[in-house]
Amino acid sequence: MQGRGLNDSTVGVLASTQGPRGPGGSDGWQAAVLLYNSNDSSSTANTTTTDYTTLTLKGLAAQNGLVYVTYYLDNNDPHVEGPWPVPAGDSLTLELKLALPSVLLVHVCARPRAVPEQVNGLRFIKITKGQVLIVWSDHCMTSKCILTFEVEFSRDGEDFHRINAQRSIFTSYVYSPVDQEVRGVYRVRALDYWGRPGSYSPAEPYSQD
């Protein structure tokens, strides 16, 4: 990683790689790089301070179907970008802009053979009338290269439609439709970085009574 000199830099990095647990599964090779821009507990008079950093990952040529996703968090503009294909070759170079303070996660994944495993443990927590918290488990899933969970709802148990319009990798979702009609049947599935869906969870009915 290249940036300002070590003596005055507020930018730091943590990185790791992980291989698949076994052949043929949904878990493939991956690398995670966490960059942070922080001045510890010191106050920052200029809230628009920004650092520019070049990140280079090497040794990628042995992996197939590589893509990467970036997760960025600061005080003003948190966002997720990707997945983007990694250019052919042995390295990936990214020119990064980090506000002070901010955190950036770069997640690189090789395409595994299998799609994500089935989501399970679907359950509900009533919040109030017309609002329900839908919770599920991903503990049986070996893939960490998950783009989003798709939450679907049906009033009759047959005609399902997605209710979480935004991408989310959290294992819960608050559903509060305008008409307050949350009684029906729900199911959830995972979608990986390559747009491949796993199996739906067993459909579960919910009644707010």
Side-chain angles (χ1 to χ4, degrees), residues 38-57:
S38 172
N39 198 20
D40 295 327
S41 60
S42 301
S43 60
T44 304
N46 182 6
T47 58
T48 61
T49 299
T50 301
D51 286 291
Y52 296 86
T53 300
T54 300
L55 174 67
T56 299
L57 304 179

Side-chain angles (χ1 to χ4, degrees), residues 20 22-28 110-118 141-146 190-199:
S26 68
D27 184 33
R111 179 180 174 125
R113 293 184 179 180
V115 301
E117 288 86 357
Q118 184 183 49
M141 298 175 59
T142 58
S143 175
K144 303 304 179 185
C145 303
I146 299 300
L191 199 73
D192 69 14
Y193 283 172
W194 299 266
R196 302 178 304 174
S199 299

Side-chain angles (χ1 to χ4, degrees), residues 115-123 134-143 146 148-152 168-172 186-192 197-204:
V115 301
E117 288 86 357
Q118 184 183 49
V119 172
N120 55 34
L122 188 63
R123 59 191 179 91
I134 307 158
V135 183
W136 58 92
S137 173
D138 64 353
H139 79 276
C140 290
M141 298 175 59
T142 58
S143 175
I146 299 300
T148 189
F149 290 102
E150 296 182 334
V151 184
E152 297 188 359
S168 174
I169 55 175
F170 296 105
T171 56
S172 63
Y186 295 81
R187 65 184 185 183
V188 180
R189 68 178 179 179
L191 199 73
D192 69 14
S199 299
Y200 284 108
S201 67
E204 294 289 346

Side-chain angles (χ1 to χ4, degrees), residues 69-155:
V69 177
T70 60
Y71 300 85
Y72 180 75
L73 177 64
D74 66 12
N75 291 332
N76 301 307
D77 183 30
H79 57 271
V80 180
E81 294 185 352
W84 309 111
V86 174
D90 190 57
S91 64
L92 170 66
T93 298
L94 302 175
E95 301 294 336
L96 304 173
K97 182 172 67 173
L98 301 174
L100 179 65
S102 65
V103 177
L104 174 70
L105 174 65
V106 180
H107 192 204
V108 184
C109 289
R111 179 180 174 125
R113 293 184 179 180
V115 301
E117 288 86 357
Q118 184 183 49
V119 172
N120 55 34
L122 188 63
R123 59 191 179 91
F124 310 97
I125 299 174
K126 181 179 179 180
I127 300 175
T128 187
K129 179 177 173 58
Q131 190 176 66
V132 61
L133 175 64
I134 307 158
V135 183
W136 58 92
S137 173
D138 64 353
H139 79 276
C140 290
M141 298 175 59
T142 58
S143 175
K144 303 304 179 185
C145 303
I146 299 300
L147 182 67
T148 189
F149 290 102
E150 296 182 334
V151 184
E152 297 188 359
F153 169 75
S154 170
R155 292 186 177 178

